[in-house]
Amino acid sequence: MKLLFLACLSPKTGNYTTAERIRSHIESAGHSCELRDVADFHSPSDLAHLVSQNPPFEGALAIHLFKAGRLLLDLRLPFGVIFGGTDINEDVKDEQKRVVMEQVLRKARFAVAFTEKLKEEAEFVLVSPDSKIYVQPQGIQTEVAEQFCWTEFLRSSEWHSKNLHNILIIIGPKVDPALTAEVETVVKRATGVFLAQERSQQELHAAMKRCYAVVNSSVSEGMSAAILEAMDLRVPVLARNIPGNAAVVKHGVTGLLFSSPQEFVHQSQRLLSDQELRERVVRSGKLYVEEHHSVKQERETYQRLVDKLHKAQFLA
Ligand SMILES: *[C@@H]1O[C@H](CO)[C@@H](O)[C@H](O)[C@H]1NC(C)=O
């Protein structure tokens, strides 16, 4: 089956990694699956043009009901959707967007939520006639680059005056210009805090592996693949206590949670001084990821779901 896969594909983001992994699951079942960035399509007619190519696409998949799924509404292709982070946390607050998302959900042959909670929230805010929402957590796979060095950070004079354990490195692509400017200003004033550019996933994993802990201080909701990857790499996690993080980090078991800067320092010190705690957290984190975020299971789910599209094609 020839499938079109629409997603928001800024390079080196979690979305991109997720889309690539799901694409490879689909191709390993013998289908062809073309991944396209929603940013390349300005109207549904741009997409209609692509879809009518020869040989034509026979089905579609989209991550984000609003950003990507809505482009599929007018096409005569059976499709499935995967809930994106902002769908339920942000986009539903806008009534017009919510109505579009409801249409997308109604027309979709299936929808996938990464967590049980997201599924419940989706069913609460969007009318979904039958239960077509499946729960499939993201599969987590880590690979560490062999060659990796910290030169970029060593250049900073702070390095010599600080203990390695006391520095914080913020790493990732500059996605939002306003937020980036704000972060840069704060970092300039802080000592021991460094900004680093995004890098390949293997290099990022190599960097994480060399850290004492991975921190997530996000205040906005979502599901952190970085936290799960840290667990998979056996690196302890310190995360802000918000529902998205608390869903994967059980305090004192799979990681440590904090709600204030003071608590962050306190929990970090605990982690530094209590070797047994560190070992326990690392062990349980690894087990948690293996049990709940298996790539093998993710592959089986998407292959089964794509079979639904395959069958739908003949019923249409
Ligand atoms: C931090 O956690 C939030 C909530 O779970 C998530 O949306 C975000 O992607 C995470 N960021 C990183 C870098 O882990």
Short mmCIF file of all heavy atoms in Angstrom, two decimals, residues 83-109:
data_model
loop_
_atom_site.label_atom_id
_atom_site.label_comp_id
_atom_site.label_asym_id
_atom_site.label_seq_id
_atom_site.Cartn_x
_atom_site.Cartn_y
_atom_site.Cartn_z
N PHE A 83 -2.67 11.74 17.85
CA PHE A 83 -2.79 13.00 18.59
C PHE A 83 -1.42 13.62 18.82
O PHE A 83 -0.50 12.94 19.27
CB PHE A 83 -3.47 12.79 19.94
CG PHE A 83 -4.95 12.63 19.83
CD1 PHE A 83 -5.54 11.38 19.78
CD2 PHE A 83 -5.77 13.75 19.76
CE1 PHE A 83 -6.91 11.23 19.67
CE2 PHE A 83 -7.15 13.62 19.64
CZ PHE A 83 -7.71 12.35 19.59
N GLY A 84 -1.30 14.93 18.53
CA GLY A 84 -0.06 15.64 18.81
C GLY A 84 -0.22 16.36 20.15
O GLY A 84 -1.35 16.55 20.63
N GLY A 85 0.90 16.73 20.74
CA GLY A 85 0.88 17.37 22.05
C GLY A 85 -0.05 18.56 22.15
O GLY A 85 -0.83 18.66 23.10
N THR A 86 -0.02 19.44 21.15
CA THR A 86 -0.81 20.67 21.28
C THR A 86 -2.29 20.47 20.95
O THR A 86 -3.10 21.34 21.24
CB THR A 86 -0.25 21.79 20.39
OG1 THR A 86 -0.11 21.29 19.07
CG2 THR A 86 1.09 22.28 20.91
N ASP A 87 -2.66 19.34 20.33
CA ASP A 87 -4.07 19.12 19.97
C ASP A 87 -4.98 19.31 21.17
O ASP A 87 -5.89 20.13 21.17
CB ASP A 87 -4.27 17.68 19.44
CG ASP A 87 -3.93 17.56 17.96
OD1 ASP A 87 -4.06 18.56 17.23
OD2 ASP A 87 -3.55 16.46 17.53
N ILE A 88 -4.71 18.50 22.21
CA ILE A 88 -5.61 18.49 23.36
C ILE A 88 -5.24 19.56 24.39
O ILE A 88 -6.09 20.09 25.09
CB ILE A 88 -5.64 17.06 23.98
CG1 ILE A 88 -6.22 16.07 22.97
CG2 ILE A 88 -6.43 17.02 25.27
CD1 ILE A 88 -7.61 16.41 22.47
N ASN A 89 -3.96 19.93 24.45
CA ASN A 89 -3.57 20.93 25.44
C ASN A 89 -3.82 22.36 25.00
O ASN A 89 -4.06 23.23 25.82
CB ASN A 89 -2.09 20.78 25.79
CG ASN A 89 -1.80 19.41 26.33
OD1 ASN A 89 -2.55 18.90 27.15
ND2 ASN A 89 -0.75 18.79 25.84
N GLU A 90 -3.73 22.64 23.73
CA GLU A 90 -3.86 24.01 23.25
C GLU A 90 -5.03 24.19 22.27
O GLU A 90 -5.92 25.00 22.50
CB GLU A 90 -2.57 24.45 22.52
CG GLU A 90 -1.31 24.36 23.36
CD GLU A 90 -1.28 25.36 24.49
OE1 GLU A 90 -1.96 26.40 24.37
OE2 GLU A 90 -0.61 25.09 25.51
N ASP A 91 -4.99 23.45 21.17
CA ASP A 91 -5.90 23.72 20.07
C ASP A 91 -7.39 23.58 20.42
O ASP A 91 -8.21 24.32 19.89
CB ASP A 91 -5.55 22.86 18.85
CG ASP A 91 -4.16 23.21 18.29
OD1 ASP A 91 -3.71 24.35 18.54
OD2 ASP A 91 -3.54 22.36 17.64
N VAL A 92 -7.72 22.68 21.32
CA VAL A 92 -9.15 22.50 21.65
C VAL A 92 -9.75 23.73 22.32
O VAL A 92 -10.96 23.90 22.35
CB VAL A 92 -9.43 21.29 22.58
CG1 VAL A 92 -9.26 19.99 21.85
CG2 VAL A 92 -8.61 21.34 23.84
N LYS A 93 -8.90 24.60 22.87
CA LYS A 93 -9.42 25.80 23.55
C LYS A 93 -10.04 26.77 22.56
O LYS A 93 -10.83 27.63 22.92
CB LYS A 93 -8.28 26.49 24.31
CG LYS A 93 -7.76 25.66 25.47
CD LYS A 93 -6.62 26.39 26.18
CE LYS A 93 -5.83 25.46 27.07
NZ LYS A 93 -4.45 25.92 27.24
N ASP A 94 -9.67 26.65 21.30
CA ASP A 94 -10.22 27.49 20.25
C ASP A 94 -11.38 26.72 19.61
O ASP A 94 -11.19 25.67 19.00
CB ASP A 94 -9.09 27.75 19.23
CG ASP A 94 -9.56 28.60 18.05
OD1 ASP A 94 -10.73 28.49 17.65
OD2 ASP A 94 -8.72 29.36 17.54
N GLU A 95 -12.61 27.25 19.77
CA GLU A 95 -13.79 26.50 19.34
C GLU A 95 -13.75 26.11 17.86
O GLU A 95 -14.13 25.00 17.49
CB GLU A 95 -15.06 27.29 19.69
CG GLU A 95 -16.38 26.61 19.34
CD GLU A 95 -16.57 25.20 19.94
OE1 GLU A 95 -15.86 24.85 20.91
OE2 GLU A 95 -17.42 24.45 19.42
N GLN A 96 -13.26 27.02 17.02
CA GLN A 96 -13.20 26.69 15.59
C GLN A 96 -12.27 25.51 15.32
O GLN A 96 -12.59 24.62 14.55
CB GLN A 96 -12.71 27.90 14.79
CG GLN A 96 -13.87 28.72 14.25
CD GLN A 96 -13.38 30.03 13.66
OE1 GLN A 96 -12.34 30.56 14.05
NE2 GLN A 96 -14.14 30.56 12.73
N LYS A 97 -11.12 25.56 15.99
CA LYS A 97 -10.17 24.47 15.82
C LYS A 97 -10.75 23.16 16.37
O LYS A 97 -10.58 22.10 15.78
CB LYS A 97 -8.85 24.78 16.54
CG LYS A 97 -8.06 25.91 15.91
CD LYS A 97 -6.72 26.05 16.61
CE LYS A 97 -5.91 27.19 16.00
NZ LYS A 97 -4.65 27.40 16.73
N ARG A 98 -11.45 23.29 17.50
CA ARG A 98 -12.01 22.09 18.12
C ARG A 98 -13.00 21.40 17.17
O ARG A 98 -13.00 20.18 17.03
CB ARG A 98 -12.71 22.45 19.43
CG ARG A 98 -13.00 21.25 20.34
CD ARG A 98 -13.97 21.59 21.46
NE ARG A 98 -15.27 21.97 20.92
CZ ARG A 98 -16.20 21.10 20.53
NH1 ARG A 98 -15.99 19.82 20.66
NH2 ARG A 98 -17.34 21.52 20.03
N VAL A 99 -13.82 22.22 16.49
CA VAL A 99 -14.81 21.66 15.58
C VAL A 99 -14.11 20.94 14.42
O VAL A 99 -14.52 19.84 14.03
CB VAL A 99 -15.76 22.78 15.06
CG1 VAL A 99 -16.61 22.29 13.90
CG2 VAL A 99 -16.64 23.28 16.20
N VAL A 100 -13.04 21.54 13.92
CA VAL A 100 -12.28 20.90 12.83
C VAL A 100 -11.71 19.56 13.31
O VAL A 100 -11.78 18.54 12.63
CB VAL A 100 -11.14 21.82 12.33
CG1 VAL A 100 -10.23 21.09 11.36
CG2 VAL A 100 -11.72 23.08 11.70
N MET A 101 -11.18 19.58 14.53
CA MET A 101 -10.60 18.35 15.06
C MET A 101 -11.64 17.25 15.22
O MET A 101 -11.38 16.07 15.00
CB MET A 101 -9.92 18.63 16.40
CG MET A 101 -8.62 19.39 16.22
SD MET A 101 -8.05 20.17 17.73
CE MET A 101 -7.73 18.78 18.72
N GLU A 102 -12.86 17.67 15.57
CA GLU A 102 -13.94 16.70 15.70
C GLU A 102 -14.26 16.06 14.34
O GLU A 102 -14.50 14.86 14.25
CB GLU A 102 -15.17 17.42 16.25
CG GLU A 102 -15.91 16.62 17.29
CD GLU A 102 -16.81 17.52 18.12
OE1 GLU A 102 -17.69 18.19 17.52
OE2 GLU A 102 -16.61 17.57 19.34
N GLN A 103 -14.24 16.91 13.31
CA GLN A 103 -14.49 16.38 11.95
C GLN A 103 -13.41 15.39 11.56
O GLN A 103 -13.68 14.33 10.99
CB GLN A 103 -14.47 17.52 10.92
CG GLN A 103 -15.72 18.37 10.93
CD GLN A 103 -15.55 19.59 10.03
OE1 GLN A 103 -14.43 19.99 9.70
NE2 GLN A 103 -16.66 20.18 9.63
N VAL A 104 -12.17 15.77 11.88
CA VAL A 104 -11.05 14.89 11.55
C VAL A 104 -11.22 13.55 12.24
O VAL A 104 -11.10 12.48 11.63
CB VAL A 104 -9.69 15.54 11.93
CG1 VAL A 104 -8.54 14.54 11.76
CG2 VAL A 104 -9.43 16.80 11.12
N LEU A 105 -11.57 13.60 13.51
CA LEU A 105 -11.73 12.37 14.29
C LEU A 105 -12.87 11.52 13.73
O LEU A 105 -12.78 10.30 13.66
CB LEU A 105 -11.97 12.72 15.76
CG LEU A 105 -11.96 11.57 16.75
CD1 LEU A 105 -10.66 10.79 16.68
CD2 LEU A 105 -12.17 12.07 18.18
N ARG A 106 -13.94 12.18 13.31
CA ARG A 106 -15.09 11.45 12.79
C ARG A 106 -14.72 10.70 11.50
O ARG A 106 -15.10 9.57 11.29
CB ARG A 106 -16.26 12.41 12.54
CG ARG A 106 -17.60 11.71 12.52
CD ARG A 106 -18.77 12.70 12.44
NE ARG A 106 -18.69 13.74 13.44
CZ ARG A 106 -18.77 15.05 13.17
NH1 ARG A 106 -18.93 15.47 11.93
NH2 ARG A 106 -18.70 15.94 14.13
N LYS A 107 -13.95 11.39 10.65
CA LYS A 107 -13.60 10.77 9.36
C LYS A 107 -12.46 9.76 9.44
O LYS A 107 -12.33 8.89 8.58
CB LYS A 107 -13.21 11.87 8.35
CG LYS A 107 -14.38 12.36 7.52
CD LYS A 107 -13.91 13.10 6.26
CE LYS A 107 -13.75 12.18 5.06
NZ LYS A 107 -13.32 12.95 3.86
N ALA A 108 -11.66 9.90 10.47
CA ALA A 108 -10.50 9.01 10.58
C ALA A 108 -10.94 7.57 10.83
O ALA A 108 -11.95 7.33 11.48
CB ALA A 108 -9.59 9.48 11.71
N ARG A 109 -10.17 6.62 10.30
CA ARG A 109 -10.49 5.20 10.53
C ARG A 109 -10.02 4.79 11.92
O ARG A 109 -10.50 3.82 12.49
CB ARG A 109 -9.79 4.31 9.50
CG ARG A 109 -10.13 4.65 8.07
CD ARG A 109 -11.59 4.32 7.81
NE ARG A 109 -12.04 4.95 6.58
CZ ARG A 109 -12.85 4.39 5.71
NH1 ARG A 109 -13.32 3.17 5.94
NH2 ARG A 109 -13.23 5.04 4.63
#
